[in-house]
Amino acid sequence: MSAPSVVTAESGDSAPADHQPVMDHRHVLRALSGLLIVLFVAMISSTVVSVALPQIIGSLGGTQSQYTWVVTATLLASTASTPIWGKLADLFDKKLLLQVAIGIFVVASLGAGFAQNTATLIGFRAVQGLGMGALQVLVQVIIAAMISPKERGRYNGYLGAVMAVATVGGPLLGGAITDVDWLGWRWCFFIALPFTVLASVILARTLHLEDIRRPETKVDYWGAALIAAGVSLLLLWVTFVDNDFAWISWQTGAMLAGTVVLLGAALAVEAKVAQPVIPLHVIRRRDPALAIVASLAVGMAMFGGAVFLGQYFQIGRGKSPTQAGLLTIPLMAGVLLASTVAGRLVSRTGKVKPFILAGTVILAGGFFGLATIDAHTSLVVVGAWMFLVGTGVGMSMQNLVLVLQNTVPLHELGAASGAITFFRSLGGTIGVSVLGAVLANGVGGRIADGLGKLGIDATAAGGGSGTLDVGGMPAPVREVVRGAYGDTTGHIFLIAAFIALVGILAAAFLTPATLRDSVDLAEAPAAAAGGAKDTGDGTSPTPPPTAPAPAPGRGPDEGPAPAPVA
């Protein structure tokens, strides 16, 4: 295949629609194979570690707070950087950006694997989050640049399969690696490296996108910095409040005031600059705004709830890492089946709202079921509720991305995809922080009560903030700790269920639009100008006028204004 052509566009313009490369199914699959491996690497880096994390933190002498921070640091960096990567994808070569992200991810994985203490591990996991955020959003942007929204539902089945393999195989692989003496938990970070090398080779050979050069490109550095700073400060407050300081305290006031000032300044900047990191005119529309709210709720519930299942099975139920990985199969099986079936039905019908609405309802029902579990609940029952959660995630998460992508022209695809990924990751990060704090406080109280009944000073024993190395505890203390984790985990799933209800409300008010067949948005110029007939869903509620005479200044076959494809 020849090298990609280069098209030069003025700032704010885009390449003509008929210049976009048309790829048949075979060539799409060839390029998609490398992209799916990249997505697999990004996802497995979290799922492999998730089931092994209790043993990792125990080996490094960490605490429950540090356990939460290992997850939060990755999500924080990923969340804060996602909209920036999305905007960069609109301005620069997408393939080059993807290769840079792979490099960041590889370096961070090596550093995390060689970490000798939890502080170092948390630091490299934050850097790894930068790479993970880039990989996830760039894969979505590149796929969207190749495939129309309606056909994308078909390929979402492949995305769902990769997600399921990574999420099902990841915990199994992480548990097996952790349990094998001659490997150990450090290989949970090294295992992704061969996949990154393979992905780089495949992408170099198969991914060829039209390279748009924009001579007047301006990156919104101020907006990016303010958004990252404001979100980071908010998440730091969520993590530390009610643990290191009280809800009503000067620290709370200072951090919340700082968050409001930073994000307010970010909004002011984004409203004025020509090329904002987060396009406000897009997220102000009805359907994109509702899709973002639903993604925020789904991300908060899913990430915040699922991340603690490993702890529940290992600490609360006394299972090994491998057994804990096996016990998560129902969750991931639900994701696989639901995303594959729903993706094909979306492509066949062009309708996406019914699947999103059904998915959010099932998600909430699954979490309400998990809210009833304790240290003695039948694992079959736990697995059934997990399957419902996975089914809800599979039906809703990727389809919410389709809703937003269906409403924007190609030259705004990166920023729009970055925006919805940003809010979904933001929800997940807040969910992990909030639910982690709830779990830590609940476990601490139960452990203190249990140790008190045994005549043991809870403060001297470490209370709820002591080591997670349960295997090294005396048998009576170990049973108290296991019971505390087993009985408290249901409480955080109840919170996740109520959060999921917000997703149901947002999904219910989505416009029942039909996904477009074209890669670019036919009415892009009108949408960009904020025309009065903009419905907010990327399509007209009724067929647009097919008047024999075209709009002034536009020929019937001219197509939209140029849209850049890097």
Side-chain angles (χ1 to χ4, degrees):
M1 188 177 290
S2 59
S5 60
V6 177
V7 177
T8 302
E10 294 300 324
S11 179
D13 292 341
S14 52
D18 55 359
H19 287 177
Q20 303 306 328
V22 178
M23 302 177 67
D24 58 27
H25 181 62
R26 183 173 66 88
H27 288 93
V28 167
L29 286 181
R30 289 181 61 194
L32 194 64
S33 62
L35 295 172
L36 292 180
I37 293 175
V38 169
L39 183 64
F40 177 77
V41 166
M43 294 197 64
I44 204 172
S45 64
S46 295
T47 58
V48 165
V49 173
S50 62
V51 74
L53 198 52
Q55 190 163 333
I56 294 173
I57 298 300
S59 174
L60 296 176
T63 65
Q64 174 63 49
S65 176
Q66 290 171 322
Y67 179 102
T68 302
W69 259 107
V70 172
V71 179
T72 303
T74 306
L75 288 174
L76 175 61
S78 175
T79 300
S81 64
T82 292
I84 301 172
W85 287 110
K87 185 59 183 179
L88 291 177
D90 286 336
L91 304 178
F92 301 108
D93 187 344
K94 297 177 179 62
K95 182 175 179 179
L96 177 60
L97 288 172
L98 190 63
Q99 292 167 334
V100 170
I102 290 174
I104 294 173
F105 179 83
V106 168
V107 172
S109 297
L110 286 171
F114 286 115
Q116 300 299 313
N117 53 64
T118 52
T120 304
L121 177 63
I122 291 170
F124 277 111
R125 286 286 287 175
V127 178
Q128 195 176 40
L130 295 176
M132 290 170 59
L135 295 179
Q136 292 179 28
V137 70
L138 291 175
V139 166
Q140 293 183 64
V141 171
I142 292 172
I143 290 176
M146 299 190 301
I147 309 167
S148 69
K150 184 176 180 181
E151 284 300 310
R152 214 173 298 149
R154 171 187 182 185
Y155 294 98
N156 272 352
Y158 298 116
L159 293 177
V162 168
M163 290 171 60
V165 170
T167 48
V168 172
L172 293 174
L173 186 59
I177 290 173
T178 305
D179 287 339
V180 174
D181 293 335
W182 55 273
L183 286 177
W185 61 262
R186 296 185 185 278
W187 275 93
C188 290
F189 299 102
F190 298 149
I191 194 64
L193 301 182
F195 293 102
T196 59
V197 174
L198 177 61
S200 297
V201 173
I202 293 177
L203 290 172
R205 295 174 60 87
T206 64
L207 183 60
H208 301 279
L209 297 174
E210 195 170 16
D211 184 11
I212 301 297
R213 302 293 173 84
R214 310 186 71 178
E216 297 182 5
T217 291
K218 294 182 180 179
V219 180
D220 179 20
Y221 293 110
W222 276 108
L226 289 169
I227 291 171
V231 171
S232 299
L233 188 58
L234 173 63
L235 296 176
L236 288 172
W237 173 75
V238 170
T239 301
F240 290 126
V241 71
D242 204 30
N243 187 21
D244 294 296
F245 50 81
W247 287 91
I248 301 178
S249 63
W250 71 265
Q251 293 95 331
T252 291
M255 297 180 82
L256 290 182
T259 298
V260 171
V261 170
L262 289 170
L263 294 182
L267 286 175
V269 171
E270 297 299 273
K272 292 181 179 180
V273 297
Q275 297 171 347
V277 172
I278 297 180
L280 298 182
H281 68 279
V282 171
I283 65 176
R284 278 198 299 258
R285 299 173 192 157
R286 172 180 167 177
D287 278 359
L290 289 171
I292 286 173
V293 171
S295 291
L296 186 72
V298 170
M300 189 179 298
M302 196 263 306
F303 287 112
V307 75
F308 298 105
L309 282 171
Q311 270 192 312
Y312 170 75
F313 287 126
Q314 291 182 63
I315 300 179
R317 303 302 292 263
K319 305 299 181 181
S320 69
T322 302
Q323 292 171 326
L326 289 169
L327 289 170
T328 60
I329 287 180
L331 176 69
M332 307 318 167
V335 175
L336 169 62
L337 294 175
S339 61
T340 302
V341 174
R344 291 190 173 275
L345 291 175
V346 166
S347 285
R348 183 179 303 171
T349 63
K351 304 293 184 181
V352 69
K353 177 181 175 178
F355 303 98
I356 295 175
L357 183 58
T360 53
V361 171
I362 294 172
L363 177 67
F367 274 124
F368 275 118
L370 285 176
T372 64
I373 67 174
D374 56 27
H376 306 288
T377 303
S378 168
L379 293 178
V380 175
V381 174
V382 176
W385 295 126
M386 290 168 59
F387 180 80
L388 288 182
V389 170
T391 300
V393 170
M395 293 181 69
S396 59
M397 183 164 288
Q398 284 303 117
N399 287 328
L400 284 167
V401 178
L402 278 182
V403 170
L404 185 61
Q405 291 178 342
N406 191 55
T407 66
V408 296
L410 195 60
H411 69 275
E412 291 181 338
L413 194 60
S417 300
I420 194 167
T421 306
F422 163 73
F423 284 105
R424 186 176 64 198
S425 298
L426 176 62
T429 308
I430 295 175
V432 169
S433 298
V434 171
L435 299 185
V438 171
L439 181 64
N441 290 336
V443 165
R446 288 178 180 269
I447 290 177
D449 292 342
L451 294 179
K453 293 177 181 178
L454 295 176
I456 301 175
D457 184 357
T459 305
S465 61
T467 178
L468 293 183
D469 185 13
V470 180
M473 297 178 180
V477 176
R478 182 166 59 246
E479 291 305 313
V480 169
V481 173
R482 291 199 190 283
Y485 274 92
D487 294 337
T488 307
T489 304
H491 297 169
I492 66 174
F493 290 131
L494 181 60
I495 298 174
F498 281 107
I499 294 171
L501 292 178
V502 178
I504 296 177
L505 292 176
F509 286 98
L510 286 172
T511 303
T514 301
L515 298 179
R516 67 176 189 257
D517 292 313
S518 60
V519 172
D520 205 354
L521 184 63
E523 298 297 324
K533 294 183 185 271
D534 181 11
T535 63
D537 61 0
T539 61
S540 299
T542 58
T546 54
R554 294 278 306 279
D557 298 321
E558 288 183 33
V565 177

